Amino acid sequence: MAELVDVNIRTLFARAKGLRKQLESLQSTSEAYQENLQNAIAALEECRKIADNVSLFSPNEMEEDISSRDLQYLSMDYFLGDLIVKKIAENRTRLLQDSRQAYERYLGLLDTYRILSPKDKKLYGRYLEDRNAFTLLASSDISTRREIKIARFKQETDLKQKLEYLTQTPSALENDDSALRALYHAELALHTHQTFYALDFIAQEFRMIASAPPTPPRDPSALERDYRSRTGMITDSYSTRLDPPISQLLRNGNAGPILSKDGKPLKPFTLLDNRQKLRDGVFRPDHSLPTMTIEEYLAEEKRRGGIIEGGGEQSGIQPLVNEDDFDAADKETLKARSWDEFKEDNPKGSGNTLNRG
């Protein structure tokens, strides 16, 4: 019977770990991801039931009393806490509570068997003092918080490297009991490290939920109406068209006969020269069409003086004087001479007499 139970829990645990591994290659919002997630959680919960029924772990035992093959089952609640928080559900608070309870069972079991390291045991005690205010970065000093982050990152890197080294020779683990226990102890150390990270994030999310505004009721009749509805803008004749439809124009005072019985006009109207224009007016688009091309618009802007020509680097280039044009050459010469005479009569600085003694 014990062998049958061992096979069942071993198969379920291996299946749950395999499904958890498959989640890494799936989108978290896909149906396949949620299906694999639910199946992995169900397998782990069945493992917990089997372990509780056969009293696989007892508070009266020590770590040495657990067989090497059963050490791996100490991580069941860690995997449960890691998977539950990834579910998509309306009641997020309930998921966080279930995930935190699973992590607490995991840490409590390790504490019972005295597997927690001194640093982890200190963190566990600080967590039990105030679950909702728990944080790994307890100090408010920026440099201290940075040092804690670096130290925990190095610790996690070392644990992963150690675990990777121990799993390089799986054939040796089958015959070496001490190597197998060292492998499971390395896994437990890494899981414990990640558990405190998860509890920190859960506490932060609980604080965010507590500070969030209350969710409005789901009853559609109790929901606040749109701004346009509240201000009376939306009526039976409301439309998002920029140009009002003809029916709306007729309702705004344009309905009724155009001419009186004596043939006098009662309202302004436009005569169309043919039926095609009338037909085009009926089947026109919902938006206003352009009245001119881009070239026509630019020409109109140029006529109105809205386009400035010239300027830039070309405006600083002096035009060359045609040497064959003697009149132009004489004008340039006279202009240069007058400028020279002006400079002789008005030397540089002659006008600044403010600071002279």
Side-chain angles (χ1 to χ4, degrees), residues 310-320:
E313 298 180 357
Q314 299 294 330
S315 61
I317 300 176
Q318 297 294 334
L320 297 177

Side-chain angles (χ1 to χ4, degrees), residues 151-302:
R152 291 196 64 84
F153 177 75
K154 289 182 178 179
Q155 182 183 0
E156 184 174 0
T157 304
D158 294 340
L159 290 173
K160 289 182 178 179
Q161 290 177 351
K162 181 179 179 181
L163 188 61
E164 183 180 0
Y165 173 76
L166 292 173
T167 54
Q168 286 179 351
T169 54
S171 58
L173 298 175
E174 299 178 359
N175 303 322
D176 192 348
D177 190 71
S178 60
L180 185 61
R181 295 186 78 88
L183 171 65
Y184 290 144
H185 275 288
E187 286 185 349
L188 292 173
L190 179 60
H191 295 164
T192 303
H193 182 88
Q194 294 172 340
T195 294
F196 286 115
Y197 267 123
L199 290 175
D200 188 353
F201 292 147
I202 289 175
Q204 292 182 32
E205 192 165 351
F206 266 124
R207 292 193 290 270
M208 291 174 60
I209 293 175
S211 61
T215 305
R218 305 296 294 180
D219 186 7
S221 61
L223 295 176
E224 188 177 6
R225 299 196 65 190
D226 183 82
Y227 169 77
R228 291 172 294 183
S229 300
R230 288 185 277 113
T231 55
M233 293 175 60
I234 295 182
T235 59
D236 295 338
S237 61
Y238 178 78
S239 174
T240 56
R241 287 179 50 172
L242 297 178
D243 298 331
I246 297 177
S247 59
Q248 183 176 344
L249 292 175
L250 295 176
R251 283 196 300 268
N252 291 339
N254 295 326
I258 297 177
L259 299 175
S260 66
K261 295 181 179 180
D262 300 335
K264 295 181 180 180
L266 300 177
K267 66 180 70 176
F269 60 92
T270 303
L271 294 176
L272 300 178
D273 56 355
N274 52 34
R275 287 188 176 183
Q276 185 61 37
K277 286 188 177 182
L278 181 61
R279 189 178 298 111
D280 293 341
V282 174
F283 298 101
R284 62 186 177 86
D286 291 342
H287 56 277
S288 299
L289 297 176
T291 58
M292 63 177 66
T293 63
I294 296 177
E295 290 77 10
E296 293 173 347
Y297 169 75
L298 294 176
E300 178 65 18
E301 283 293 313
K302 184 177 181 181

Side-chain angles (χ1 to χ4, degrees), residues 24 34 61 71 79 84 103 122 128 143 174 186-187 211 287:
E24 299 176 0
Q34 293 299 319
E61 296 178 343
L71 275 176
F79 290 131
I84 289 175
Y103 283 127
K122 184 179 179 180
L128 293 178
S143 59
E174 299 178 359
E187 286 185 349
S211 61
H287 56 277

Side-chain angles (χ1 to χ4, degrees), residues 44-113:
L44 288 171
E45 290 177 345
E46 188 65 26
C47 287
R48 286 193 65 252
K49 291 180 181 179
I50 295 175
D52 293 340
N53 291 337
V54 299
S55 300
L56 188 61
F57 303 113
S58 173
N60 300 322
E61 296 178 343
M62 301 294 291
E63 184 270 334
E64 295 81 6
D65 298 330
I66 305 176
S67 65
S68 300
R69 295 291 178 183
D70 293 342
L71 275 176
Q72 59 179 325
Y73 304 131
L74 289 171
S75 299
M76 283 188 298
D77 286 315
Y78 162 77
F79 290 131
L80 266 176
D82 179 56
L83 294 175
I84 289 175
V85 80
K86 296 177 181 178
K87 293 173 62 176
I88 297 177
E90 293 184 2
N91 193 348
R92 179 65 179 174
T93 303
R94 182 61 182 173
L95 289 180
L96 294 175
Q97 291 174 349
D98 294 343
S99 176
R100 185 160 68 176
Q101 289 175 2
Y103 283 127
E104 289 177 356
R105 289 195 302 267
Y106 168 74
L107 292 176
L109 192 59
L110 295 191
D111 186 45
T112 300
Y113 282 103

Side-chain angles (χ1 to χ4, degrees), residues 318-329:
Q318 297 294 334
L320 297 177
V321 180
N322 188 2
E323 296 180 355
D324 297 334
D325 190 353
F326 297 105
D327 293 336

